[in-house]
Structures are given as C-alpha cells and as structure tokens.
Amino acid sequence: KIQAKPQLGGSYAKGTWLRGNHDIDIFIKFKENKDLSNRLEKALKPFKYKRIHGSRDYFQLDYKGLDIELIPVLDITKPEQAKNVTDVSPLHLKYIKKHTTKTIQNEIRLAKQFFKANQLYGAETHIGGFSGHAVELLIIHYKSLKRLLNSAKNWEEKTVIDPAKQYKNKKQLLLSLNSSKKQSPLILIDPAQKDRNASAALSKKKYQELIKIATTGELNFEKKEFKLKDLKGYIILEVTPLTGKTDVVGAKIVKVYNKITKDLNNQGFLVKDSGWHWEKKAYLYFKTKSKIPKLKEHKGPIKTKKEHSRVFKSKYKKTYTKKGRLYTKTEIKHTEAKPFIKELIKEEYIKSRVKTIKYLNR
C-alpha cells in the first residue's frame, strides 16, 4: 500500500555472503523524498519489528530465523541526487555486482573470513576496522587476497587508492576531498562516489595490524577464541556495558579503554600491551610496568617566561632547570599499577560510560 519498490541488498545480493550469516538487507526505494521512514512503517504494521534510529530510521525484524533489515532510500541514479548517506548504497551494490565474477566473489569471501578471524573487520566506531564494502573494493582492485596482502606490505603511513582512477593524480585527489575524509591512514576512493573515502572509519591501529600480518605472512582464517586464562601477567577489568545501540555502547567502552591507557602512560606505568574483548561482558586488559618511583618529574614553564616561572616557583619549593625549562619532582600516591587502576575506575568519566566496572582479581 505504499509507492515503493524493494531491492535485495547486502552481501547476499552481491554473492559474497559467508556461511552462517543470516542477515538480509532489503532497500525500500521511494521515488518521492517525503517522510520515508514513517511511510515504510505503515506497511510493517502486520509484523513484529524494531525501529532503529539513525540518520534516517530503518527497521529490523525476525522472519523464519532470518534477521531482516529494511532500509528506506530514495530511488536515485546518481550520487549527487542523494538526500541521505544511505541513498547511495544501492549504487555501491550496482558497482560491486558489475565488477565481480564468481572467482572474485570467492576471493571476497576468503578476504572477509580473513579480516574477521584477525579482528580487522567492521567499520563501527568501537572497532575501527575495514567495512565489508571496503574489503570488496580492495579485492576488486587487487583481484585476490594474496595480491592485496603483498601490496599491504609496502603501504606507507598514509596510503591512497583510487580504483576507478577518478582523479588525475594524488595531489588533485587530496585537494578535492573534504578534510574529514582524509583522517584515516588509508584513503580508498569509492568508484561509485568519488567524494567518499570508503575506509574513512579505519583506525591507525587496525591499519598497522594488517600491514604487520601481511609482512610476517602468518595468515589466520579461524577466529581465535578469547580466554581469560591466556592473559597471564595482565591487569584485567570486567565491564558490564550500558544498554543501547551496539555502536554507541561500544564507543563508550573504547573511550574508557583509551582513558585508562592514557592515564597509565601519563603516570609512568608504561603500557607494553593492551586490548579489549566484548561479547556479553567486556574485558579490558593491560600489561604495564608494575612499579614506578615515588617521585615523579613534573614539567614547568620555559624559564624565560618570567611571570609563569614566578608562579611555578611559588607553588613548588624545590625546582631545577633542564634545557631552559623549569622542573620539579612531586610525590605520587600510587607506585604500583593495580591500586592506581582501582582508584582510576572510580572516576565519574569512567563510571558514567559503563554500567559497572571492576578489577578482576584472579
């Protein structure tokens, strides 16, 4: 009873789905850009569904064991006609279908399994990895996972890939892109949308992890099971996340993880290794310098800044100069990492972003 047409989307439509994946995306394409989400919702009344809020609301429903996502979009033929970021998705789909063969589709499957097994997959804020679309574009560009990895060995601090050669050169490309789309270490120009970086959500950490794996050649296609008992010598925090959208909740856990990492380093408990894992509960783990001296060096102003120097000297009785700058030494409360973390997790910044957080004493 609505003037719209459905189109199958996602990996199933592209022929790149993985076994065990029960997610089905369906675009609901409207000719007229008017109240799309509400108009679609009227057609869903006979079903049990969930409305998901976003830049434009979409809908989820369970049908015979399949997780269906219904995404209202404007029926367009060019990216510039889009009124919302999701409107361009069917054009991305069209490009992938046009530029893949059965062989390429299987290479994409292999690549997706590889990226998932190595925890490099997912463009959500809390993951910061490669989106499914980015993986598809990379495989279409390089023709196989093997060639992608061989190339990744030589990726620099900032890598630019323009698969459809929509720009004359790298300089023109960088001048044309919006600054927000140039922040990621990999700039992958979407062939269906030349002003879009398909890997804009990629973090430096995940980018470097791919390069490291490619360089060592230690390829893993099976996801390693997370076990707390394997984290010997780590400080472990158990987190009960807040309820809400996965991406939003996950982003808050990442902020807590980043805050703790930063504070540990600033205090002198240098973090040698760390990470986090989230299923029902989240676990944050840190391997640090276990003990630090009681006195910590505190940096003051440049000595030539007379007023600032006067205030610094009036605040601290014992000061000294090093390379033209004033310093002092202050006594710290905790010389061991564990009690420092136990106190840190009581801070409001951390407590407000999770339901509960506690030190896991094993």
Side-chain angles (χ1 to χ4, degrees), residues 126 205 209 237 239 250-264 271 273-277 283-286 344 349-350 353-354 357:
H126 63 286
K205 185 181 179 185
E209 282 176 13
L237 300 172
V239 174
K252 288 180 179 178
I253 295 172
V254 170
K255 283 183 178 179
V256 169
Y257 167 76
N258 289 340
K259 160 82 171 161
I260 293 170
T261 305
K262 183 181 177 182
D263 285 2
L264 281 166
V271 178
D273 188 31
S274 66
W276 66 283
H277 177 81
Y283 295 94
L284 317 183
Y285 48 93
F286 308 88
L344 181 62
Y349 180 93
I350 290 174
R353 283 164 175 78
V354 295
I357 182 166

Side-chain angles (χ1 to χ4, degrees), residues 57-205:
D57 292 359
Y58 61 99
F59 302 88
Q60 290 178 341
L61 60 102
D62 176 68
Y63 181 74
K64 295 184 178 179
L66 298 175
D67 297 317
I68 309 289
E69 280 199 356
L70 297 166
I71 306 136
V73 297
L74 193 60
D75 193 2
I76 62 173
T77 55
K78 298 175 184 176
E80 50 269 28
Q81 295 172 328
K83 300 297 181 185
N84 183 279
V85 65
T86 56
D87 294 337
V88 192
S89 297
L91 300 183
H92 297 156
L93 169 66
K94 185 179 178 181
Y95 178 88
I96 299 296
K97 288 177 75 173
K98 184 179 178 181
H99 291 85
T100 53
T101 60
K102 289 287 183 186
T103 302
I104 296 294
Q105 287 170 1
N106 284 332
E107 283 292 333
I108 288 171
R109 284 195 179 95
L110 187 68
K112 282 184 177 180
Q113 183 60 34
F114 167 79
F115 276 78
K116 285 187 176 186
N118 292 280
Q119 297 179 49
L120 301 172
Y121 192 85
E124 295 90 341
T125 310
H126 63 286
I127 298 173
F130 293 79
S131 68
H133 186 57
V135 172
E136 289 162 351
L137 291 178
L138 286 169
I139 295 301
I140 289 170
H141 179 64
Y142 288 109
K143 307 302 181 190
S144 71
L145 175 61
K146 186 178 179 180
R147 287 179 188 148
L148 164 59
L149 294 174
N150 281 337
S151 180
K153 291 178 193 176
N154 304 311
W155 283 359
E156 299 173 345
E157 192 174 334
K158 177 84 81 172
T159 299
V160 177
I161 301 172
D162 181 12
K165 294 181 171 56
Q166 297 179 88
Y167 294 94
K168 286 181 182 179
N169 50 48
K170 184 177 175 179
K171 185 179 178 182
Q172 187 201 45
L173 185 155
L174 293 172
L175 285 170
S176 301
L177 275 190
N178 184 294
S179 61
S180 64
K181 296 168 185 175
K182 295 186 284 189
Q183 302 304 310
S184 63
L186 175 65
I187 297 175
L188 176 61
I189 300 299
D190 196 319
Q193 196 176 359
K194 70 180 290 187
D195 63 347
R196 178 177 184 255
N197 175 9
S199 60
L202 180 64
S203 68
K204 188 177 180 180
K205 185 181 179 185

Side-chain angles (χ1 to χ4, degrees), residues 53 254 269 302 359:
H53 298 295
V254 170
F269 300 105
I302 296 168
Y359 170 75

Side-chain angles (χ1 to χ4, degrees), residues 219-321:
L219 307 188
N220 178 36
F221 289 89
E222 288 186 31
K223 190 175 180 180
K224 188 180 177 183
E225 188 181 348
F226 175 79
K227 294 177 182 175
L228 282 173
K229 66 179 183 181
D230 293 337
L231 296 173
K232 291 177 182 176
Y234 286 81
I235 293 170
I236 303 170
L237 300 172
E238 184 182 85
V239 174
T240 305
L242 296 168
T243 54
K245 284 178 70 176
T246 303
D247 201 15
V248 175
V249 172
K252 288 180 179 178
I253 295 172
V254 170
K255 283 183 178 179
V256 169
Y257 167 76
N258 289 340
K259 160 82 171 161
I260 293 170
T261 305
K262 183 181 177 182
D263 285 2
L264 281 166
N265 283 324
N266 287 344
Q267 192 69 5
F269 300 105
L270 302 181
V271 178
K272 300 169 188 174
D273 188 31
S274 66
W276 66 283
H277 177 81
W278 177 29
E279 285 178 15
K280 287 183 179 177
K281 288 193 175 181
Y283 295 94
L284 317 183
Y285 48 93
F286 308 88
K287 184 176 276 188
T288 72
K289 198 174 180 179
S290 58
K291 202 164 185 177
I292 57 174
K294 188 73 176 171
L295 293 176
K296 181 187 176 186
E297 189 173 67
H298 177 63
K299 186 165 71 172
I302 296 168
K303 201 174 179 181
T304 53
K305 292 187 175 179
K306 302 294 183 185
E307 182 58 25
H308 290 95
S309 296
R310 186 190 65 76
V311 173
F312 188 77
K313 284 180 177 179
S314 66
K315 187 176 180 181
Y316 301 102
K317 290 180 181 179
K318 292 183 179 180
T319 64
Y320 56 95
T321 306

